[in-house]
Amino acid sequence: MKRLVMILWVLAVFIGCEQKPEPYFESLSSIRFKYKKTDAVIPVEVKTINYSFGYVAENQLTDTILLEVTFTGPLVGHDRMYKVEVADSGTMVTGRTTMEVGRDYLPIAGDHVVRGGIWVDTLPVIVSREYINPGFQKKETKSLVLRLGVSDDFEKVVEGMNEIQITVNNYLGEPSWWGRDLNFYHPEKYKILMTLQPLLSNPDKLEITGLELQALGGVLATYLNENVVLDPETQQR
């Protein structure tokens, strides 16, 4: 009886090991992106990074976007190489690459390093505004789809987590909190407000109450009554 129980126990362990769900890694190292998540009640992974040059100084032609890369498998003490590819279009993200290498971004395809002894490293992507139309009416946006590939150090990629998209524009978009107290929107008005209130240059981290919006509207109205500010595209005040 004891022998039978032992045999059944060994079989159960063996079957359980064989039925581990994919992807499951005990020794293989697999590369993937580490996506940021939304602040919603049920967080959602963000696989598209939206960047606007509209919020930086006009004489700043380039900027660096840092993407986080991580992996499954053992943590090792030495540096390892992984591959980055530029994809014509996305399979996990909606979009296609319209940015041109050497004009809109510096070369990124090829080998990159995950430093030893850490779980998360960064992939720097240098983008340029020089060949992107700055007009608010045109709203030109260019995109870059990146995909991680296998290498000698990373034998696999984590399917569904090896692709990311970057979109870049060169205009100052209308913020979600712009209301009727501020009247007709054009970027020149927003630039005035950013000069008066520097916190507005970081809209992703700014929450504006109704009273604050009214106050901003009053400040802007006073300034515009004393100064003629025209939208260069529409010539409206």
Side-chain angles (χ1 to χ4, degrees), residues 86-155:
V86 175
D88 291 333
S89 60
T91 58
M92 290 165 283
V93 297
T94 302
R96 61 187 183 89
T97 293
T98 57
M99 298 177 73
E100 296 182 44
V101 62
R103 286 167 59 92
D104 302 313
Y105 69 97
L106 293 186
I108 190 71
D111 294 332
H112 295 269
V113 175
V114 170
R115 291 167 292 171
I118 59 175
W119 285 105
V120 180
D121 212 335
T122 55
L123 171 66
V125 182
I126 300 176
V127 296
S128 171
R129 76 193 307 175
E130 189 171 359
Y131 299 100
I132 304 178
N133 191 302
F136 172 68
Q137 298 300 318
K138 185 174 178 60
K139 295 182 173 65
E140 181 181 22
T141 298
K142 295 186 178 183
S143 63
L144 176 66
V145 179
L146 299 178
R147 188 175 296 146
L148 299 177
V150 297
S151 65
D152 291 340
D153 293 322
F154 294 97
E155 301 95 329

Side-chain angles (χ1 to χ4, degrees), residues 70-223:
T70 186
F71 56 90
T72 62
L75 181 67
V76 299
H78 59 270
D79 293 351
R80 291 182 289 178
M81 306 297 293
Y82 66 95
K83 290 188 179 295
V84 174
E85 306 164 357
V86 175
D88 291 333
S89 60
T91 58
M92 290 165 283
V93 297
T94 302
R96 61 187 183 89
T97 293
T98 57
M99 298 177 73
E100 296 182 44
V101 62
R103 286 167 59 92
D104 302 313
Y105 69 97
L106 293 186
I108 190 71
D111 294 332
H112 295 269
V113 175
V114 170
R115 291 167 292 171
I118 59 175
W119 285 105
V120 180
D121 212 335
T122 55
L123 171 66
V125 182
I126 300 176
V127 296
S128 171
R129 76 193 307 175
E130 189 171 359
Y131 299 100
I132 304 178
N133 191 302
F136 172 68
Q137 298 300 318
K138 185 174 178 60
K139 295 182 173 65
E140 181 181 22
T141 298
K142 295 186 178 183
S143 63
L144 176 66
V145 179
L146 299 178
R147 188 175 296 146
L148 299 177
V150 297
S151 65
D152 291 340
D153 293 322
F154 294 97
E155 301 95 329
K156 287 189 176 184
V157 297
V158 179
E159 295 297 334
M161 303 188 76
N162 67 316
E163 194 173 274
I164 200 165
Q165 179 176 225
I166 297 172
T167 71
V168 180
N169 67 57
N170 193 20
Y171 62 88
L172 191 57
E174 181 176 349
S176 59
W177 46 261
W178 193 278
R180 60 185 180 182
D181 292 323
L182 300 173
N183 298 316
F184 169 76
Y185 174 83
H186 65 70
E188 298 306 312
K189 288 182 179 179
Y190 196 1
K191 291 176 184 177
I192 292 168
L193 287 181
M194 286 195 297
T195 301
L196 298 173
Q197 175 49 271
L199 287 177
L200 295 176
S201 62
N202 192 1
D204 292 336
K205 296 183 179 180
L206 182 67
E207 296 181 359
I208 295 181
T209 66
L211 290 176
E212 290 171 331
L213 192 59
Q214 282 185 328
L216 285 174
V219 171
L220 184 61
T222 300
Y223 184 93

Side-chain angles (χ1 to χ4, degrees), residues 37-44:
K37 294 185 178 181
T38 63
D39 295 329
V41 176
I42 301 177
V44 177

Side-chain angles (χ1 to χ4, degrees), residues 7-27:
I7 293 174
L8 291 175
W9 180 84
V10 170
L11 285 174
V13 171
F14 178 79
I15 293 172
C17 291
E18 288 296 307
Q19 293 181 340
K20 289 173 181 175
E22 292 293 328
Y24 185 90
F25 307 99
E26 291 183 334
S27 59

